Amino acid sequence: MQAIVNDNAQYAKVVLAAGFRTNFKTTDMSAIFEDETHETQIKTAAETSMGTEIADMDIINIQALAEQVLSMTEYRIQLFEYLKNRMNAIAPNLTILVGELVGARLISHAGSLMNLAKQPASTVQILGAEKALFRALKTKHDTPKYGLIYHASLIGQAAPKNKGKISRVLAAKAALATRVDALSDETADGVDTTIGYEGRAKVEARLRQLEGGNGAVVSSFSNKNGGLTAKKTTTYTPTAAKPAYNDSNDVVLDKDVDADKEKKSAKKDKKKKKDKKRKADDVEEDADGAEEPSAKKIKKEKKKKDKKKKKSSD
């Protein structure tokens, strides 16, 4: 039965409806399955099954567990609807780009929508991978390319080698969309989701370009009822400018070269003259320095002679 019924909610409903294996043949399962082939497959499998009989106490516990599974499935659906409505009201542009669940995780991790809007695109890209980032910086390895944004549907569509590039582009567009959602006028009648649709179109165009397809960007000029009315813009292919050759410039260049040479030669002559003057001044200073010690020696000798004369007279 597990191979036939893959959905947990439908499996629990079958267990609650039929109970024992002997009751499968008489149980009506049209309310559980839309396709009748599943019902016939389950009934034939119940007849040919090799399973043992279940006690009354066991079937009570199994049906109680099935009821819990159904209640949790219903609660999950209600919670997702609530999250979808709240995200469309709080951050519609971010929801268009990354989805309700990833957008809610980003806002929760940042603390609030305003805190997320203050973050740059590089931080939004690796938000949720802080441990890996600091470990990479500590061990001098490659830093992570994505965090929570990895679970977005656009990154899931990309090839493994292009996931890093798409996550960078998507983070840049998500940062812009978050700022629009956080700082836009809340008193406006209709929510403007133009930047969300345009950003998603550019990310999809980048994805097609990396996969070798057409890289034309589909831009939305008018947003009607949440839909995208688009036109393909022409792609710009840059070409290098060819320098034009002008014969008249050669004469001007020659004149300039001659003038530069004359200026350089005049500067060299001035430098040589200055160097000669400096050398002459240095020689004079050395001569003066040599004369001074000789004059001092003569004075000292005179003083010594005078002292000797005084002693001899005494």
Side-chain angles (χ1 to χ4, degrees):
M1 181 173 160
Q2 187 177 0
I4 300 169
V5 183
N6 296 322
D7 188 29
N8 294 329
Q10 289 181 348
Y11 193 97
K13 287 178 182 178
V14 171
V15 171
L16 287 172
F20 289 104
R21 184 180 57 182
T22 55
N23 300 332
F24 272 78
K25 188 182 290 185
T26 58
T27 305
D28 184 18
M29 301 179 187
S30 59
I32 301 172
F33 300 106
E34 295 179 357
D35 192 2
E36 294 180 357
T37 56
H38 289 290
E39 186 177 354
T40 55
Q41 286 176 0
I42 290 170
K43 288 181 179 180
T44 53
E47 292 177 359
T48 60
S49 176
M50 296 291 291
T52 59
E53 297 297 330
I54 298 174
D56 294 335
M57 193 66 186
D58 293 334
I59 198 67
I60 291 170
N61 292 326
I62 291 170
Q63 287 181 344
L65 183 61
E67 288 176 357
Q68 290 180 7
V69 170
L70 280 176
S71 63
M72 290 175 70
T73 306
E74 291 175 358
Y75 176 68
R76 184 179 181 182
I77 293 169
Q78 291 176 2
L79 196 61
F80 183 74
E81 286 295 325
Y82 169 76
L83 180 65
K84 185 177 179 181
N85 294 330
R86 291 301 297 164
M87 284 299 295
N88 286 327
I90 295 170
N93 291 294
L94 182 64
T95 304
I96 292 166
L97 279 170
V98 299
E100 296 88 1
L101 193 60
V102 178
R105 285 179 180 175
L106 289 172
I107 293 171
S108 175
H109 195 82
S112 66
L113 183 63
M114 188 59 69
N115 289 341
L116 184 62
K118 292 176 184 177
Q119 304 295 336
S122 57
T123 305
V124 175
Q125 182 181 351
I126 60 169
L127 204 66
E130 288 83 4
K131 285 185 179 179
L133 174 65
F134 291 120
R135 185 171 61 249
L137 292 174
K138 188 177 180 180
T139 57
K140 294 182 181 179
H141 285 85
D142 294 335
T143 55
K145 295 179 181 178
Y146 28 66
L148 293 170
I149 205 170
Y150 177 80
H151 301 286
S153 60
L154 288 171
I155 296 177
Q157 295 172 13
K161 63 179 181 179
N162 298 327
K163 285 185 186 294
K165 295 178 181 179
I166 293 298
S167 65
R168 185 170 63 249
V169 176
L170 183 60
K173 300 302 178 186
L176 292 174
T178 307
R179 289 163 193 167
V180 171
D181 292 332
L183 303 172
S184 60
D185 188 10
E186 296 179 354
T187 60
D189 295 334
V191 181
D192 187 15
T193 56
T194 306
I195 193 165
Y197 284 107
E198 286 183 352
R200 189 177 180 88
K202 288 178 182 177
V203 175
E204 289 174 352
R206 177 63 176 159
L207 181 60
R208 288 194 299 271
Q209 185 181 6
L210 289 173
E211 290 177 353
N214 186 14
V217 179
V218 180
S219 60
S220 59
F221 296 99
S222 61
N223 183 18
K224 297 178 181 178
N225 299 325
L228 181 65
T229 56
K231 294 181 180 179
K232 286 188 177 180
T233 59
T234 57
T235 56
Y236 172 69
T237 54
T239 55
K242 295 181 179 179
Y245 182 73
N246 192 358
D247 297 336
S248 62
N249 293 334
D250 294 341
V251 180
V252 177
L253 287 172
D254 292 339
K255 289 180 179 178
D256 292 339
V257 170
D258 294 336
D260 291 337
K261 286 182 179 179
E262 290 177 359
K263 287 180 181 179
K264 286 181 181 179
S265 60
K267 286 181 179 179
K268 286 182 180 179
D269 293 337
K270 286 182 180 179
K271 283 184 179 179
K272 286 181 181 178
K273 289 180 181 178
K274 286 182 180 179
D275 293 336
K276 286 181 181 179
K277 285 183 180 180
R278 285 176 184 172
K279 287 180 181 179
D281 294 337
D282 293 337
V283 171
E284 289 178 358
E285 288 177 358
D286 293 338
D288 294 339
E291 289 176 357
E292 287 177 1
S294 60
K296 287 181 180 179
K297 285 181 181 179
I298 293 167
K299 287 181 180 180
K300 285 182 181 180
E301 288 177 357
K302 283 183 179 180
K303 284 182 180 180
K304 285 180 181 180
K305 286 179 182 180
D306 293 337
K307 285 180 180 179
K308 287 179 180 179
K309 285 180 182 180
K310 286 181 181 180
K311 286 181 181 179
S312 60
S313 60
D314 293 338

